[in-house]
Amino acid sequence: MKFRTFLAGLAAVLVLAGCGAKNPAQPQELPSERRAESSFYAMDTRITVTAYGKARNEAASYAEKRIRELEKHLSVTDPASDIHRLNAREANYVGLDTERVLTASLQMYEKTGGLFDPTIYPLVRAWGFTTDEHRVPSAEEISALLPQNNAARIKYEYTGSSVTADIENVLKDGETKGTLVLLPDGAELDLGGIAKGYAGEDIARQFEKINISGALVNLGGNVQTYGEKPDGSPWRIGLQSPWDTSKYLGVLNVSGYPHAMTAVVTSGSYQRYFIDEKGIRRHHIIDPRTGCPAESNLASATVVGPSGTECDAFATALFIMGAEGAAEYWQTHWGKTVIGIILVTEDGHIRISENLADHFTPSEEDPLPLEVIHR
Amino acid sequence: MKKYILLLAAIILLSAAAIVLPPLFENETKEPVLADIVQDGRTIRTVDLADAPDEEFVVEYTGDVPGTNRIRIENGEIRVTEADCPDHICIGSGKLRKNGPPIVCLPHKLVIRYRDAGGIDGTAR
């Protein structure tokens, strides 16, 4: 015991003398590393916001407020949301946020050749993914619910603040919900495939206006970075293994330069699925062409780029395309851009686009074979 | 005879030293490995896995989906062993890994994570 006391005394002396770099009781914190973190649950997932810089506390609380606000408008289950009311044909007018996300999702519908489709909600419900009461719908039921070309037939128009006749369309604070949206018969919207990406991007854009040097918003695995860490080192984003959620496949280094904002969004069949009566695994990513879970040879598709909104929608579309289709899409559309992709195939291969290859460090524990997709 | 007693005493002393001394050294030189148990965004307990005695305890959640998670600390490893959440993903995650993502029980808003998560700033999934 005496020896122990001696060591403790020695440690105390070292700490007092300023040589003790490590103080076990409290992790040290340099002034430049001061950060604010908030963690909460919204949009059906766990969200963490980490912010560095002078306005870090305001940034963290702003982010939470903003995400809850977006959820209130975009939730497909909340009876008071714009989306729920549109789907139930209770209202035709939506607010600015809903209009923007709807606009973005229809643009993504175009860009992905319809593979990202915001109108597949009736199918998602038929498969039971909205209530977790999973079932396999009959072929007739599926074909009746196919979205056809519904997304392209949505009409919407900003009508300004003159829309005050319907009291329901006027928010308590006097804001007017001024965009008229007309959905084709049978169509129901679900912006869940883009809302998290939009939220992360929207918040990062707000951070540009305040005194924040760097921030990371993680919406349940949907990551958006802004700026840099205090020491200028890249953000390190772990890519979760589709087969073992306690492991990473590798780490992606995301630098704050030259692009202040970078999103990393993954779409995977491993996140939500059920096993049907015949023992077939049915995951939640519905192919709008077939109305069934996408038959993809991918376990996950990750898209890295400045816009969280686009990455979110593209991740879903690339997953549906499969490994070959997704690689080709990247070569055709993004070969000369900063947008990068990481594809993980069902048979355990990683295919990574050339522009990301230098930024990705595979895990040392059982690394998967890695191939580079060239321009 | 005296020789044997001395030898025996030496053996006893040495083995005693072998048992007593290493933990003394270890205790003082081991870096702390802090894991936070976070409920609904609040850290409810922090354990130093480098120096934690084996134990089991139950964390209760009284929010939207109320229930409990039983957490076990054993040989410096932490895991969820029992839970009455609907999905049991927290149990399926196994032990908390140094270079892996945190253990999450979404229904009970529970997260177990390393304070220094191997230099990882976020997990994409």
Side-chain angles (χ1 to χ4, degrees):
Chain A
M1 277 323 269
K2 262 184 191 161
F3 183 61
R4 214 174 159 172
T5 319
F6 166 71
L7 276 184
L10 187 66
V13 167
L14 284 176
V15 168
L16 286 174
C19 312
K22 297 276 186 280
N23 177 0
Q26 284 171 330
Q28 58 173 6
E29 192 184 65
L30 298 169
S32 61
E33 283 177 343
R34 277 187 200 135
R35 58 184 216 161
E37 192 179 300
S38 87
S39 171
F40 52 95
Y41 291 79
M43 296 184 164
D44 268 335
T45 194
R46 173 177 173 247
I47 297 173
T48 55
V49 181
T50 313
Y52 300 93
K54 226 174 187 162
R56 60 186 182 280
N57 289 318
E58 294 91 310
S61 57
Y62 166 79
E64 177 169 357
K65 204 177 129 222
R66 181 73 181 126
I67 288 168
R68 294 201 188 283
E69 186 179 42
L70 284 169
E71 182 184 29
K72 205 178 75 192
H73 300 318
L74 302 173
S75 163
V76 74
T77 48
D78 178 355
S81 80
D82 281 356
I83 296 302
H84 191 279
R85 285 157 52 82
L86 275 182
N87 287 346
R89 306 296 193 267
E90 285 172 10
N92 283 332
Y93 288 93
V94 301
L96 193 58
D97 280 324
T98 309
E99 185 207 320
R100 285 187 179 153
V101 183
L102 178 61
T103 308
S105 69
L106 295 178
Q107 281 168 356
M108 294 314 293
Y109 173 81
E110 292 292 328
K111 285 191 185 178
T112 59
L115 290 184
F116 171 81
D117 190 329
T119 67
I120 54 164
Y121 190 60
L123 280 166
V124 178
R125 187 170 42 209
W127 284 90
F129 285 111
T130 51
T131 52
D132 280 341
E133 283 160 20
H134 301 123
R135 54 188 279 272
V136 179
S138 69
E140 294 77 33
E141 192 181 349
I142 289 172
S143 74
L145 295 176
L146 280 177
Q148 311 292 353
N149 203 18
N150 274 342
R153 294 193 285 135
I154 294 174
K155 289 196 178 72
Y156 63 102
E157 187 186 353
Y158 180 68
T159 56
S161 52
S162 59
V163 187
T164 48
D166 181 358
I167 193 75
E168 288 290 331
N169 286 322
V170 182
L171 288 174
K172 276 177 191 152
D173 58 6
E175 186 198 330
T176 308
K177 294 195 173 190
T179 298
L180 175 68
V181 180
L182 293 174
L183 299 179
D185 281 347
E188 287 181 60
L189 286 173
D190 179 4
L191 303 181
I194 200 168
K196 291 192 194 83
Y198 179 87
E201 181 180 345
D202 184 72
I203 288 163
R205 287 189 192 285
Q206 294 304 315
F207 285 173
E208 282 182 326
K209 299 176 189 162
I210 57 174
N211 200 343
I212 284 294
S213 56
L216 185 143
V217 184
N218 190 342
L219 302 101
N222 195 319
V223 176
Q224 174 86 48
T225 69
Y226 167 75
E228 287 186 312
K229 289 205 280 185
D231 61 358
S233 67
W235 302 98
R236 288 168 51 80
I237 312 300
L239 192 67
Q240 194 177 61
S241 161
W243 300 283
D244 183 347
T245 55
S246 72
K247 284 186 184 169
Y248 291 124
L249 292 181
V251 177
L252 185 70
N253 282 340
V254 173
S255 155
Y257 180 83
H259 300 281
M261 289 172 36
T262 304
V264 184
V265 184
T266 299
S267 206
S269 53
Y270 62 98
Q271 289 147 332
R272 275 162 64 204
Y273 62 87
F274 70 98
I275 310 287
D276 73 8
E277 287 155 3
K278 291 178 194 149
I280 303 172
R281 197 163 163 272
R282 310 281 193 168
H283 62 76
H284 75 290
I285 304 174
I286 305 290
D287 186 333
R289 298 167 300 189
T290 62
C292 296
E295 284 181 29
S296 172
N297 59 351
L298 288 175
S300 75
T302 300
V303 182
V304 182
S307 160
T309 315
E310 294 200 354
C311 290
D312 202 354
F314 276 132
T316 308
L318 293 195
F319 179 88
I320 298 172
M321 287 175 202
E324 287 68 33
E328 216 170 279
Y329 192 93
W330 180 82
Q331 286 164 331
T332 316
H333 296 89
W334 300 327
K336 290 179 185 132
T337 72
V338 292
I339 302 175
I341 62 172
I342 305 173
L343 309 172
V344 181
T345 59
E346 278 287 1
D347 61 4
H349 286 67
I350 300 177
R351 301 186 68 186
I352 186 164
S353 61
E354 199 178 317
N355 54 358
L356 288 184
D358 290 344
H359 304 283
F360 183 74
T361 316
S363 128
E364 282 168 25
E365 201 183 331
D366 327 311
L368 297 182
L370 194 91
E371 296 152 37
V372 175
I373 307 166
H374 292 283
R375 292 188 173 98
Chain B
M1 195 59 187
K2 213 174 174 182
K3 236 180 184 174
Y4 285 111
I5 290 172
L6 270 175
L7 193 66
L8 199 67
I11 291 170
I12 290 170
L13 268 174
L14 277 175
S15 35
I19 293 164
V20 173
L21 284 179
L24 282 185
F25 280 106
E26 257 177 43
N27 269 346
E28 302 302 338
T29 53
K30 239 184 194 172
E31 296 261 322
V33 180
L34 299 181
D36 289 327
I37 300 167
V38 183
Q39 188 182 59
D40 206 357
R42 239 183 52 243
T43 301
I44 52 173
R45 195 171 158 184
T46 298
V47 286
D48 178 5
L49 291 177
D51 190 29
D54 291 357
E55 67 165 317
E56 263 191 34
F57 51 94
V58 171
V59 173
E60 199 182 344
Y61 179 62
T62 53
D64 292 347
V65 184
T68 57
N69 300 67
R70 178 175 285 272
I71 296 171
R72 180 188 290 163
I73 300 168
E74 196 176 30
N75 304 324
E77 293 176 353
I78 188 165
R79 68 175 73 226
V80 176
T81 52
E82 280 170 44
D84 55 4
C85 54
D87 55 21
H88 286 177
I89 286 172
C90 52
I91 302 174
S93 302
K95 68 173 187 190
L96 184 65
R97 286 165 188 267
K98 191 67 208 181
N99 283 309
I103 299 172
V104 178
C105 177
L106 214 46
H108 294 165
K109 304 194 171 180
L110 183 78
V111 177
I112 305 174
R113 62 169 184 218
Y114 283 110
R115 186 166 288 178
D116 173 21
I120 297 287
D121 297 304
T123 305
R125 60 186 171 85

